Amino acid sequence: MKKIRISKAFTLMESGPVVLVTTHDGKNNNIMTLSWTMVVDFTPRFAFTTGPWNYSFAALKKTRECVIAIPTVDLLDKVVGVGTCSGADTDKFEKFRLTPVKAKHVKAPLVKECLANIECEVVDIIGKHNIVVLQCLAAYVDTTRKEKRTVHAVGDGTFIVDGRRLDRKKMMESKLPAGL
Amino acid sequence: MKKIRISKAFTLMESGPVVLVTTHDGKNNNIMTLSWTMVVDFTPRFAFTTGPWNYSFAALKKTRECVIAIPTVDLLDKVVGVGTCSGADTDKFEKFRLTPVKAKHVKAPLVKECLANIECEVVDIIGKHNIVVLQCLAAYVDTTRKEKRTVHAVGDGTFIVDGRRLDRKKMMESKLPAGL
């Protein structure tokens, strides 16, 4: 897991992959699956939608920190499994054989099996809309991994795998932030 | 352009495609490119990040309505073009040969060339985070279109095209909302 420049971290999230979000409630690690996420600024900040219906929300609210882990297509069944049971009665790291790795800035763990991990601090919880705003503190990518394709939930139980990549860097030159 | 059930409309956005957002300021149509978007609830509500740095934001704030149009990969150069010039000095519908079509609930136009269009009302502007929350009023899909692959911005000037689709409906049965 190699640390990347924080100015690049928004590019891990902008395409809208399904993510895993880990928390640590002071006693146990937990992990949930989310696909309602977005970038909010280049520093970067992210937002996601969650609320009391997710068991992880209590830990998120209490500790105000989490890790966003980005899985690839080979992990899809684990991702769906994590998303369809609850940390209230399941040790999901154990059940899905995911490996928690100590983070640097937060007590929530990184997920060893994922392509990327982002340590985050909660900067705001907009209760009215169930939107959580997060500040990225550090980001890591597993550069040794061959499988780099993420998956995008459609919402109907199907998932779109990353296909080919098209380059429009030249056309977009004027719009790309410095430090990429 | 065929109207779809509103309970299905969140599935147009959940995978995180690059979108076009149209506005009408009382005089002119305008259109911008956004990729910082997410679903907020199943009704559905959406959120996106924008602010005064986008010319469209003034019309969005004033009229409190817009259309989210979802383009496919064949439109990528128009999408990047729209995203790299400003409505302040350009009629972008004309410049990029996009066709405005009258919407039903809002004055902002649908975009004929796009795969899907979603009429939206602004329900909240969270100025502190530059997050706009929208209520979907109606949604349409062009069912005659062959090209259905959307594109996902990475943020570095490259775009990921939709690849294959994997079905996990059975595993996710307990989590899928009614009316899909």
Side-chain angles (χ1 to χ4, degrees), chain A residues 123-136:
Chain A
V123 293
D124 207 356
I125 298 177
I126 304 161
K128 189 178 164 191
H129 301 294
N130 302 302
I131 293 173
V132 177
V133 181
L134 305 141
Q135 180 70 52
C136 165

Side-chain angles (χ1 to χ4, degrees), chain A residues 14 35 77 124 129 159 168, chain B residues 14 35 77 124 129 168:
Chain A
E14 180 158 329
S35 63
D77 288 330
D124 207 356
H129 301 294
F159 294 82
R168 294 295 183 277
Chain B
E14 180 158 330
S35 62
D77 288 331
D124 207 356
H129 301 294
R168 292 297 183 277

Side-chain angles (χ1 to χ4, degrees), chain A residues 64-115:
Chain A
R64 298 186 76 85
E65 50 182 51
C66 67
V67 168
I68 299 175
I70 304 180
T72 44
V73 61
D74 50 310
L75 299 172
L76 181 59
D77 288 330
K78 290 179 195 269
V79 170
V80 174
V82 165
T84 49
C85 67
S86 172
D89 53 22
T90 311
D91 178 340
K92 297 202 243 181
F93 274 94
E94 188 181 280
K95 179 169 181 181
F96 299 104
R97 297 189 188 180
L98 294 166
T99 315
V101 175
K102 205 173 160 3
K104 194 178 166 194
H105 304 277
V106 300
K107 292 211 173 71
L110 313 178
V111 181
K112 189 184 172 196
E113 289 75 12
C114 284
L115 171 65

Side-chain angles (χ1 to χ4, degrees), chain A residues 11 14-15 35-36 39 49 77 83 124 128-129 152-154 157-159 161 163-166 168-169 175, chain B residues 11 14-15 35-36 39 49 77 83 124 128-129 152-154 157-159 161 163-166 168-169 175:
Chain A
T11 64
E14 180 158 329
S15 72
S35 63
W36 294 0
V39 182
T49 301
D77 288 330
D124 207 356
K128 189 178 164 191
H129 301 294
H152 304 261
V154 173
T158 67
F159 294 82
V161 184
R164 40 193 299 240
R165 198 181 275 229
L166 302 175
R168 294 295 183 277
K169 285 187 183 177
K175 282 284 184 173
Chain B
T11 64
E14 180 158 330
S15 72
S35 62
W36 294 359
V39 182
T49 302
D77 288 331
D124 207 356
K128 190 178 164 190
H129 301 294
H152 304 260
V154 174
T158 67
F159 294 83
V161 184
R164 43 191 297 238
R165 197 183 276 230
L166 303 175
R168 292 297 183 277
K169 285 186 184 177
K175 281 286 186 173

Side-chain angles (χ1 to χ4, degrees), chain A residues 10-17 35-42 45 47-49 53-54 73 76-78 80-81 83-85 123-124 126 128-133 149-177 180, chain B residues 10-17 35-42 45 47-49 53-54 73 76-78 80-81 83-85 123-124 126 128-133 149-177 180:
Chain A
F10 80 97
T11 64
L12 300 171
M13 291 290 288
E14 180 158 329
S15 72
S35 63
W36 294 0
T37 75
M38 69 175 176
V39 182
V40 174
D41 72 26
F42 290 112
R45 283 187 173 187
F48 57 59
T49 301
W53 60 87
N54 280 326
V73 61
L76 181 59
D77 288 330
K78 290 179 195 269
V80 174
T84 49
C85 67
V123 293
D124 207 356
I126 304 161
K128 189 178 164 191
H129 301 294
N130 302 302
I131 293 173
V132 177
V133 181
R149 292 174 301 161
T150 66
V151 281
H152 304 261
V154 173
D156 63 354
T158 67
F159 294 82
I160 296 166
V161 184
D162 285 352
R164 40 193 299 240
R165 198 181 275 229
L166 302 175
D167 188 332
R168 294 295 183 277
K169 285 187 183 177
K170 198 152 184 179
M171 274 182 85
M172 288 194 62
E173 231 168 14
S174 64
K175 282 284 184 173
L176 299 177
L180 268 188
Chain B
F10 79 95
T11 64
L12 300 171
M13 292 289 288
E14 180 158 330
S15 72
S35 62
W36 294 359
T37 75
M38 69 173 174
V39 182
V40 173
D41 72 27
F42 289 112
R45 284 188 172 185
F48 57 57
T49 302
W53 59 88
N54 280 325
V73 61
L76 181 59
D77 288 331
K78 290 178 195 267
V80 175
T84 49
C85 67
V123 294
D124 207 356
I126 304 160
K128 190 178 164 190
H129 301 294
N130 302 301
I131 294 173
V132 178
V133 181
R149 291 174 302 161
T150 66
V151 280
H152 304 260
V154 174
D156 62 354
T158 67
F159 294 83
I160 296 166
V161 184
D162 285 353
R164 43 191 297 238
R165 197 183 276 230
L166 303 175
D167 187 334
R168 292 297 183 277
K169 285 186 184 177
K170 199 152 184 180
M171 272 181 86
M172 288 193 62
E173 231 167 13
S174 65
K175 281 286 186 173
L176 299 176
L180 266 191

Side-chain angles (χ1 to χ4, degrees), chain A residues 175, chain B residues 19-23 28-34 50 53-57 75 77-100 109 111 113:
Chain A
K175 282 284 184 173
Chain B
V19 301
L20 299 170
V21 174
T22 78
T23 48
N28 298 307
N29 292 326
N30 195 16
I31 183 163
M32 64 175 165
T33 300
L34 285 185
T50 185
W53 59 88
N54 280 325
Y55 183 73
S56 297
F57 183 68
L75 299 172
D77 288 331
K78 290 178 195 267
V79 170
V80 175
V82 165
T84 49
C85 67
S86 171
D89 54 21
T90 310
D91 178 342
K92 297 201 242 180
F93 274 93
E94 190 181 280
K95 180 167 182 182
F96 299 103
R97 298 189 185 179
L98 293 167
T99 315
V111 181
E113 289 74 15

